[in-house]
Amino acid sequence: MASGYAIGRAVLMGAAALEVAHYRVASDAIDVEKNRLILALNQAREDLVSLIDDLPADAPRELAALMQVHMLLLDDPLLSDEALSLIEERQYNAEWALTTQGQLLVEQFNAMEDEYLRERSADVRQVVERILHALSGSSAKSRLDDVCQSDEPLIVVARDITPADMIRLRDAQFAGYVTELGGPTSHTAIVARSMGVPAVVAMSNARTVIRDGDYLILDGQQGAVIVNPPPLQKAHYETLAKRYQEKREKLLQLRDVPAHTLDGINIQLMANIELPDEVTLALSQGAQGIGLFRTEFLFMGRRDLPGEEEQFQAYQSVVRRMQGLPVTIRTLDVGADKSLDGEATVATNPAMGLRAIRYCLANPELFATQLRAILRASAFGHVRILIPMITNMAEAQATCQMINTVRDELKARGVAVGDNIEFGAMVEVPAMAIAIEPFAEFFDFLSIGTNDLIQYTLGVDRGDSDVSDLYDPLHPAVLRLLATVINAGQRLNKPVSVCGEMAGHSELTRLLLGLGLTQFSMHPRQLLDVKQEILKAHTNALRARLAVVLNQAQSIDPDYLLGL
Ligand code: PEP
Ligand code: MG
């Protein structure tokens, strides 16, 4: 879940609807929007007619019949008229209206007993695709001007929202998200948090108990959703939301206060970002650097790959804006639940498959392009390269060699490259944490990715709501691995940070301080809550108390943490 409260109307969304832009058109732009859809329908009809006309004489008869079916669907008022009504009544943009209605028809066909009719759902999808294609040719005229700001907030309710969907939804200004799938550290939850809106994930029956247009209260603090609350409860939540906002504003006073513990230990607080524009938020919360730039989000939600120049611009803009503060750029971490668009995941167990550095080393061209872009950006500030999912020394060496080769090539061409680029590894596979010493010697710094470390240590899929109760950051095995890595870093004088979700949970701050952690990286919105905890903590006392519980077989009781 992501923090805060959202109060608004539910919008139920199917997968198809997620793949298009979402905005509500202003009242005086409704006719223009309806016209866009009508023109697109006409265009799609003309395309189909010419396809039918151009069919070769020897084409199978089924093909012609199928196209006639498409024509009937295209003209079916259940698709077109209803979509036009959604524009009129709900002020949806044409793409959103069309896919919403299309999904409804798909579901109706799917529910039919007759096999022939059931198969028509695929035809509905194809017809919707055809109309969408026509719509993409007529981009919404002055879209931003037409976007309606004043209406009631909307809350998306979906089975799942992939990270790529989230990227598409970033501009849509929804007030919150509810999903049926996902775990608390799934990428869906992480990206929802980066959008700065509350999200409740893993509410398995969400689309059964919530109907389109229901009034919802989303309590991101408790992970609760209230459907059609009575007026008193609504008023109560409006007060809570107001107080939450006031508390956030008050916390801003800590922005420039150094993060020192009571016994004078200096803690470095950095930000995790997914896209370059999040630097603004990171700076506004007093981040002392970017501890994790998840670059895969530049690659998602699109059909092509970003080239060297596009990536360079993105990295360079972050590096420049951080003005000499460290910027930790993590190389591409795709695979598992972060698949690139259009690439089917075929691995039987993607979390253990060709993911992250494994994927990059298997695709040297793509990797070299990214490394070139990062190295070029390093000339503009303090860049640290972070490698995800390193598991063995051979990967570490191969990566280091690639970086050196790319750097030499750039220098030979006279391209500027930074002098002090640091080379770091994510510690997120238990093997690496257990055998940490030689790895720590090899790298300049380490960053513990607790999201994956917990998943792989406990054998619990971080995105699977069925086992989310077993996903336990307080399991003694997890804590011992953290202690092992932090201690090794101290012995070998290599900086160690935590950049997984644990770092941003203020109720875990004292625990991490007690384990000796001095660098935290988290979502910018969590930074000041964590700083507040640091200012009240005494690390030596915490260390002594924690040493006792580390050897227990049981997970630490969350109540014990409160009393630490
Ligand atoms: C992690 O695994 O903790 C991490 C920070 O990386 P990601 O969440 O992107 O897998
Ligand atoms: Mg990870």
Side-chain angles (χ1 to χ4, degrees):
M1 71 193 134
S3 307
Y5 303 89
I7 302 177
R9 295 264 171 213
V11 190
L12 267 59
M13 273 196 201
L18 287 168
E19 291 187 2
V20 298
H22 298 81
Y23 52 98
R24 285 193 290 174
V25 290
S27 319
D28 57 3
I30 287 177
D31 285 341
V32 178
E33 197 63 10
K34 283 169 72 179
N35 212 26
R36 270 187 75 225
L37 182 54
I38 292 167
L39 288 175
L41 286 162
N42 291 343
Q43 174 70 52
R45 196 173 297 108
E46 273 172 33
D47 291 348
L48 258 182
V49 170
S50 47
L51 271 176
I52 294 170
D53 287 349
D54 293 347
L55 269 184
D58 57 351
R61 284 175 44 156
E62 293 81 9
L63 199 60
L66 202 66
M67 291 194 169
Q68 293 296 350
V69 170
H70 281 206
M71 190 66 98
L72 287 175
L73 287 169
L74 191 68
D75 286 330
D76 189 336
L78 274 180
L79 184 65
S80 48
D81 287 5
E82 291 300 316
L84 288 167
S85 306
L86 285 173
I87 301 179
E88 172 93 39
E89 286 157 21
R90 301 216 195 148
Q91 297 178 232
Y92 288 2
N93 62 307
E95 289 85 350
W96 185 3
L98 178 71
T99 46
T100 301
Q101 191 54 27
Q103 180 69 21
L104 197 83
L105 290 185
V106 165
E107 279 164 18
Q108 284 175 1
F109 276 115
N110 278 341
M112 288 178 181
E113 283 200 359
D114 183 295
E115 195 183 339
Y116 172 81
L117 288 175
R118 257 203 325 273
E119 282 173 8
R120 297 289 68 77
S121 63
D123 297 307
V124 176
R125 279 200 201 95
Q126 286 167 16
V127 169
V128 166
E129 284 284 326
R130 185 175 289 287
I131 308 167
L132 281 176
H133 185 71
L135 272 171
S136 69
S138 75
S139 64
K141 193 166 69 59
S142 63
R143 189 190 130 180
L144 280 181
D145 296 345
D146 290 349
V147 175
C148 175
Q149 305 284 358
S150 60
D151 270 331
E152 256 177 333
L154 296 178
I155 296 173
V156 173
V157 181
R159 178 164 165 73
D160 192 18
I161 301 176
T162 65
D165 294 330
M166 279 285 182
I167 298 291
R168 284 187 210 100
L169 291 171
R170 275 171 70 87
D171 299 332
Q173 303 186 344
F174 289 109
Y177 295 90
V178 181
T179 64
E180 294 185 338
L181 299 182
T185 67
S186 63
H187 289 100
T188 302
I190 291 173
V191 184
R193 185 169 303 129
S194 83
M195 315 234 297
V197 295
V200 171
V201 298
M203 181 182 170
S204 57
N205 57 352
R207 291 181 312 157
T208 318
V209 295
I210 302 172
R211 278 160 318 186
D212 215 39
D214 272 349
Y215 204 84
L216 295 186
I217 290 178
L218 215 144
D219 179 345
Q221 308 297 101
Q222 307 290 333
V225 180
I226 301 163
V227 186
N228 295 324
L232 257 182
Q233 198 173 21
K234 189 172 161 235
H236 171 66
Y237 270 94
E238 278 162 357
T239 313
L240 285 183
K242 192 161 160 266
R243 274 204 216 126
Y244 177 80
Q245 197 49 37
E246 283 164 3
K247 188 181 147 219
R248 306 257 21 114
E249 278 155 27
K250 201 155 162 240
L251 267 181
L252 272 179
Q253 293 168 359
L254 296 183
R255 183 188 176 278
D256 298 318
V257 174
H260 290 161
T261 61
L262 288 178
D263 48 345
I265 307 287
N266 182 27
I267 308 296
Q268 194 179 4
L269 295 179
M270 297 186 285
N272 294 354
I273 61 169
E274 270 87 49
L275 287 171
D277 57 14
E278 287 161 358
V279 168
T280 311
L281 179 67
L283 288 171
S284 77
Q285 307 297 301
Q288 295 166 286
I290 301 299
L292 173 63
F293 180 177
R294 288 185 166 97
T295 57
E296 48 276 11
F297 289 86
L298 296 171
F299 290 68
M300 288 158 61
R302 54 192 288 165
R303 305 232 173 254
D304 57 344
L305 291 173
E308 179 185 326
E309 192 56 31
E310 182 182 340
Q311 289 188 58
F312 164 67
Q313 292 298 343
Y315 306 147
Q316 183 234 38
S317 78
V318 174
V319 175
R320 269 181 190 270
R321 294 193 56 205
M322 292 307 291
Q323 298 188 6
L325 291 173
V327 175
T328 315
I329 305 180
R330 185 175 71 181
T331 55
L332 188 62
D333 179 5
V334 285
D337 63 344
K338 291 185 284 194
S339 76
L340 290 180
D341 241 35
E343 241 183 83
T345 306
V346 285
T348 45
N349 188 343
M352 295 198 184
L354 200 61
R355 184 188 163 184
I357 191 60
R358 302 171 183 177
Y359 183 92
C360 287
L361 290 174
N363 292 279
E365 272 301 311
L366 170 142
F367 195 28
T369 303
Q370 178 171 45
L371 290 175
R372 263 194 303 276
I374 297 175
L375 289 173
R376 281 172 59 195
S378 72
F380 296 86
H382 179 177
V383 166
R384 308 160 94 213
I385 301 181
L386 178 60
I387 312 299
M389 228 191 147
I390 289 271
T391 309
N392 61 52
M393 217 41 171
E395 288 165 342
Q397 284 158 342
T399 306
C400 187
Q401 203 173 351
M402 264 198 90
I403 294 177
N404 288 338
T405 308
V406 170
R407 183 192 347 231
D408 292 347
E409 278 168 10
L410 285 172
K411 284 195 167 166
R413 279 172 28 210
V415 179
V417 175
D419 291 330
N420 295 316
I421 307 165
E422 290 166 75
F423 179 48
M426 295 280 292
V427 183
E428 48 187 353
V429 179
M432 166 91 155
I434 293 166
I436 191 65
E437 298 253 342
F439 287 101
E441 302 248 28
F442 189 79
F443 289 98
D444 298 319
F445 70 97
L446 301 169
S447 188
I448 309 177
T450 47
N451 305 339
D452 279 315
L453 188 63
I454 298 168
Q455 148 164 285
Y456 295 130
T457 303
L458 303 183
V460 175
D461 187 334
R462 63 193 270 191
D464 186 344
S465 48
D466 288 345
V467 285
S468 58
D469 57 325
L470 297 175
Y471 188 91
D472 180 9
L474 301 179
H475 191 292
V478 172
L479 300 182
R480 278 191 229 169
L481 288 181
L482 282 171
T484 305
V485 178
I486 295 168
N487 291 340
Q490 279 166 356
R491 262 197 314 280
L492 299 170
N493 205 15
K494 303 278 174 158
V496 175
S497 68
V498 169
C499 65
E501 294 299 290
M502 275 181 90
H505 285 279
S506 54
E507 62 278 16
L508 300 182
T509 305
R510 295 163 72 77
L511 169 74
L512 294 173
L513 289 172
L515 292 176
L517 189 73
T518 54
Q519 288 187 357
F520 294 61
S521 190
M522 68 203 78
H523 188 271
R525 275 177 230 281
Q526 299 170 318
L527 224 134
L528 294 175
D529 283 306
V530 169
K531 191 188 271 188
Q532 197 174 32
E533 286 301 317
I534 290 169
L535 297 174
K536 293 188 289 191
H538 200 289
T539 47
N540 275 336
L542 288 170
R543 262 180 183 255
R545 269 178 249 151
L546 267 176
V548 184
V549 288
L550 273 190
N551 286 323
Q552 288 178 174
Q554 299 282 346
S555 296
I556 297 187
D557 187 338
D559 287 341
Y560 180 83
L561 284 185
L562 291 178
L564 263 183

PDB file of all heavy atoms in Angstrom, residues 35-51:
ATOM      1  N   ASN A  35     -16.817  13.859 -31.737  1.00  0.00           N
ATOM      2  CA  ASN A  35     -16.532  13.923 -33.163  1.00  0.00           C
ATOM      3  C   ASN A  35     -15.263  13.144 -33.525  1.00  0.00           C
ATOM      4  O   ASN A  35     -15.194  12.492 -34.562  1.00  0.00           O
ATOM      5  CB  ASN A  35     -16.379  15.386 -33.584  1.00  0.00           C
ATOM      6  CG  ASN A  35     -16.853  15.566 -34.994  1.00  0.00           C
ATOM      7  OD1 ASN A  35     -17.689  14.792 -35.464  1.00  0.00           O
ATOM      8  ND2 ASN A  35     -16.282  16.540 -35.679  1.00  0.00           N
ATOM      9  N   ARG A  36     -14.277  13.212 -32.638  1.00  0.00           N
ATOM     10  CA  ARG A  36     -13.048  12.440 -32.861  1.00  0.00           C
ATOM     11  C   ARG A  36     -13.390  10.969 -32.991  1.00  0.00           C
ATOM     12  O   ARG A  36     -12.884  10.264 -33.852  1.00  0.00           O
ATOM     13  CB  ARG A  36     -12.099  12.587 -31.656  1.00  0.00           C
ATOM     14  CG  ARG A  36     -11.150  13.712 -31.725  1.00  0.00           C
ATOM     15  CD  ARG A  36     -10.158  13.630 -30.554  1.00  0.00           C
ATOM     16  NE  ARG A  36      -9.169  12.609 -30.725  1.00  0.00           N
ATOM     17  CZ  ARG A  36      -8.778  11.749 -29.783  1.00  0.00           C
ATOM     18  NH1 ARG A  36      -9.318  11.782 -28.586  1.00  0.00           N
ATOM     19  NH2 ARG A  36      -7.853  10.858 -30.022  1.00  0.00           N
ATOM     20  N   LEU A  37     -14.254  10.510 -32.076  1.00  0.00           N
ATOM     21  CA  LEU A  37     -14.597   9.083 -32.103  1.00  0.00           C
ATOM     22  C   LEU A  37     -15.398   8.753 -33.364  1.00  0.00           C
ATOM     23  O   LEU A  37     -15.153   7.739 -34.019  1.00  0.00           O
ATOM     24  CB  LEU A  37     -15.381   8.702 -30.836  1.00  0.00           C
ATOM     25  CG  LEU A  37     -15.761   7.234 -30.725  1.00  0.00           C
ATOM     26  CD1 LEU A  37     -14.545   6.312 -30.862  1.00  0.00           C
ATOM     27  CD2 LEU A  37     -16.448   6.932 -29.387  1.00  0.00           C
ATOM     28  N   ILE A  38     -16.333   9.649 -33.737  1.00  0.00           N
ATOM     29  CA  ILE A  38     -17.148   9.371 -34.933  1.00  0.00           C
ATOM     30  C   ILE A  38     -16.250   9.295 -36.175  1.00  0.00           C
ATOM     31  O   ILE A  38     -16.369   8.395 -37.007  1.00  0.00           O
ATOM     32  CB  ILE A  38     -18.242  10.464 -35.089  1.00  0.00           C
ATOM     33  CG1 ILE A  38     -19.251  10.303 -33.942  1.00  0.00           C
ATOM     34  CG2 ILE A  38     -18.938  10.369 -36.439  1.00  0.00           C
ATOM     35  CD1 ILE A  38     -20.204  11.464 -33.768  1.00  0.00           C
ATOM     36  N   LEU A  39     -15.309  10.235 -36.259  1.00  0.00           N
ATOM     37  CA  LEU A  39     -14.402  10.229 -37.417  1.00  0.00           C
ATOM     38  C   LEU A  39     -13.570   8.946 -37.434  1.00  0.00           C
ATOM     39  O   LEU A  39     -13.331   8.357 -38.489  1.00  0.00           O
ATOM     40  CB  LEU A  39     -13.465  11.440 -37.366  1.00  0.00           C
ATOM     41  CG  LEU A  39     -14.126  12.791 -37.661  1.00  0.00           C
ATOM     42  CD1 LEU A  39     -13.142  13.931 -37.470  1.00  0.00           C
ATOM     43  CD2 LEU A  39     -14.677  12.801 -39.089  1.00  0.00           C
ATOM     44  N   ALA A  40     -13.130   8.521 -36.240  1.00  0.00           N
ATOM     45  CA  ALA A  40     -12.312   7.305 -36.175  1.00  0.00           C
ATOM     46  C   ALA A  40     -13.143   6.083 -36.574  1.00  0.00           C
ATOM     47  O   ALA A  40     -12.657   5.185 -37.266  1.00  0.00           O
ATOM     48  CB  ALA A  40     -11.746   7.138 -34.774  1.00  0.00           C
ATOM     49  N   LEU A  41     -14.420   6.081 -36.158  1.00  0.00           N
ATOM     50  CA  LEU A  41     -15.295   4.969 -36.548  1.00  0.00           C
ATOM     51  C   LEU A  41     -15.453   4.937 -38.070  1.00  0.00           C
ATOM     52  O   LEU A  41     -15.371   3.881 -38.698  1.00  0.00           O
ATOM     53  CB  LEU A  41     -16.668   5.121 -35.878  1.00  0.00           C
ATOM     54  CG  LEU A  41     -16.735   4.803 -34.374  1.00  0.00           C
ATOM     55  CD1 LEU A  41     -17.990   5.394 -33.751  1.00  0.00           C
ATOM     56  CD2 LEU A  41     -16.705   3.290 -34.144  1.00  0.00           C
ATOM     57  N   ASN A  42     -15.635   6.120 -38.650  1.00  0.00           N
ATOM     58  CA  ASN A  42     -15.778   6.196 -40.111  1.00  0.00           C
ATOM     59  C   ASN A  42     -14.517   5.699 -40.807  1.00  0.00           C
ATOM     60  O   ASN A  42     -14.572   4.952 -41.780  1.00  0.00           O
ATOM     61  CB  ASN A  42     -16.071   7.630 -40.560  1.00  0.00           C
ATOM     62  CG  ASN A  42     -17.462   8.054 -40.108  1.00  0.00           C
ATOM     63  OD1 ASN A  42     -18.281   7.197 -39.768  1.00  0.00           O
ATOM     64  ND2 ASN A  42     -17.719   9.353 -40.075  1.00  0.00           N
ATOM     65  N   GLN A  43     -13.381   6.158 -40.262  1.00  0.00           N
ATOM     66  CA  GLN A  43     -12.100   5.769 -40.853  1.00  0.00           C
ATOM     67  C   GLN A  43     -11.917   4.249 -40.794  1.00  0.00           C
ATOM     68  O   GLN A  43     -11.556   3.610 -41.784  1.00  0.00           O
ATOM     69  CB  GLN A  43     -10.973   6.464 -40.056  1.00  0.00           C
ATOM     70  CG  GLN A  43      -9.563   6.071 -40.444  1.00  0.00           C
ATOM     71  CD  GLN A  43      -9.209   6.612 -41.818  1.00  0.00           C
ATOM     72  OE1 GLN A  43      -9.357   7.794 -42.070  1.00  0.00           O
ATOM     73  NE2 GLN A  43      -8.779   5.720 -42.698  1.00  0.00           N
ATOM     74  N   ALA A  44     -12.238   3.671 -39.612  1.00  0.00           N
ATOM     75  CA  ALA A  44     -12.084   2.223 -39.448  1.00  0.00           C
ATOM     76  C   ALA A  44     -13.011   1.488 -40.417  1.00  0.00           C
ATOM     77  O   ALA A  44     -12.644   0.474 -41.008  1.00  0.00           O
ATOM     78  CB  ALA A  44     -12.408   1.838 -38.007  1.00  0.00           C
ATOM     79  N   ARG A  45     -14.222   2.047 -40.625  1.00  0.00           N
ATOM     80  CA  ARG A  45     -15.189   1.418 -41.538  1.00  0.00           C
ATOM     81  C   ARG A  45     -14.648   1.456 -42.967  1.00  0.00           C
ATOM     82  O   ARG A  45     -14.666   0.462 -43.688  1.00  0.00           O
ATOM     83  CB  ARG A  45     -16.530   2.157 -41.448  1.00  0.00           C
ATOM     84  CG  ARG A  45     -17.687   1.386 -42.041  1.00  0.00           C
ATOM     85  CD  ARG A  45     -19.009   2.065 -41.787  1.00  0.00           C
ATOM     86  NE  ARG A  45     -19.366   2.181 -40.391  1.00  0.00           N
ATOM     87  CZ  ARG A  45     -19.368   3.324 -39.684  1.00  0.00           C
ATOM     88  NH1 ARG A  45     -19.016   4.467 -40.265  1.00  0.00           N
ATOM     89  NH2 ARG A  45     -19.704   3.314 -38.415  1.00  0.00           N
ATOM     90  N   GLU A  46     -14.115   2.633 -43.349  1.00  0.00           N
ATOM     91  CA  GLU A  46     -13.558   2.752 -44.710  1.00  0.00           C
ATOM     92  C   GLU A  46     -12.415   1.767 -44.912  1.00  0.00           C
ATOM     93  O   GLU A  46     -12.314   1.120 -45.958  1.00  0.00           O
ATOM     94  CB  GLU A  46     -13.008   4.170 -44.922  1.00  0.00           C
ATOM     95  CG  GLU A  46     -14.043   5.154 -45.412  1.00  0.00           C
ATOM     96  CD  GLU A  46     -13.489   6.571 -45.426  1.00  0.00           C
ATOM     97  OE1 GLU A  46     -12.285   6.741 -45.676  1.00  0.00           O
ATOM     98  OE2 GLU A  46     -14.271   7.502 -45.141  1.00  0.00           O
ATOM     99  N   ASP A  47     -11.546   1.652 -43.886  1.00  0.00           N
ATOM    100  CA  ASP A  47     -10.419   0.715 -44.001  1.00  0.00           C
ATOM    101  C   ASP A  47     -10.914  -0.705 -44.221  1.00  0.00           C
ATOM    102  O   ASP A  47     -10.390  -1.441 -45.055  1.00  0.00           O
ATOM    103  CB  ASP A  47      -9.562   0.733 -42.723  1.00  0.00           C
ATOM    104  CG  ASP A  47      -8.820   2.047 -42.560  1.00  0.00           C
ATOM    105  OD1 ASP A  47      -8.803   2.834 -43.534  1.00  0.00           O
ATOM    106  OD2 ASP A  47      -8.274   2.288 -41.471  1.00  0.00           O
ATOM    107  N   LEU A  48     -11.958  -1.052 -43.456  1.00  0.00           N
ATOM    108  CA  LEU A  48     -12.482  -2.416 -43.582  1.00  0.00           C
ATOM    109  C   LEU A  48     -13.086  -2.647 -44.968  1.00  0.00           C
ATOM    110  O   LEU A  48     -12.860  -3.678 -45.584  1.00  0.00           O
ATOM    111  CB  LEU A  48     -13.571  -2.643 -42.530  1.00  0.00           C
ATOM    112  CG  LEU A  48     -13.184  -3.440 -41.290  1.00  0.00           C
ATOM    113  CD1 LEU A  48     -14.390  -3.607 -40.388  1.00  0.00           C
ATOM    114  CD2 LEU A  48     -12.636  -4.823 -41.669  1.00  0.00           C
ATOM    115  N   VAL A  49     -13.829  -1.637 -45.451  1.00  0.00           N
ATOM    116  CA  VAL A  49     -14.459  -1.774 -46.778  1.00  0.00           C
ATOM    117  C   VAL A  49     -13.375  -1.988 -47.820  1.00  0.00           C
ATOM    118  O   VAL A  49     -13.461  -2.902 -48.660  1.00  0.00           O
ATOM    119  CB  VAL A  49     -15.296  -0.516 -47.116  1.00  0.00           C
ATOM    120  CG1 VAL A  49     -15.737  -0.529 -48.570  1.00  0.00           C
ATOM    121  CG2 VAL A  49     -16.515  -0.444 -46.206  1.00  0.00           C
ATOM    122  N   SER A  50     -12.292  -1.197 -47.757  1.00  0.00           N
ATOM    123  CA  SER A  50     -11.301  -1.391 -48.808  1.00  0.00           C
ATOM    124  C   SER A  50     -10.573  -2.728 -48.649  1.00  0.00           C
ATOM    125  O   SER A  50     -10.184  -3.328 -49.637  1.00  0.00           O
ATOM    126  CB  SER A  50     -10.324  -0.211 -48.914  1.00  0.00           C
ATOM    127  OG  SER A  50      -9.861   0.132 -47.669  1.00  0.00           O
ATOM    128  N   LEU A  51     -10.447  -3.185 -47.394  1.00  0.00           N
ATOM    129  CA  LEU A  51      -9.849  -4.513 -47.211  1.00  0.00           C
ATOM    130  C   LEU A  51     -10.714  -5.587 -47.859  1.00  0.00           C
ATOM    131  O   LEU A  51     -10.218  -6.484 -48.536  1.00  0.00           O
ATOM    132  CB  LEU A  51      -9.716  -4.822 -45.715  1.00  0.00           C
ATOM    133  CG  LEU A  51      -8.430  -4.376 -45.035  1.00  0.00           C
ATOM    134  CD1 LEU A  51      -8.504  -4.683 -43.537  1.00  0.00           C
ATOM    135  CD2 LEU A  51      -7.228  -5.106 -45.638  1.00  0.00           C
TER     136      LEU A  51
END
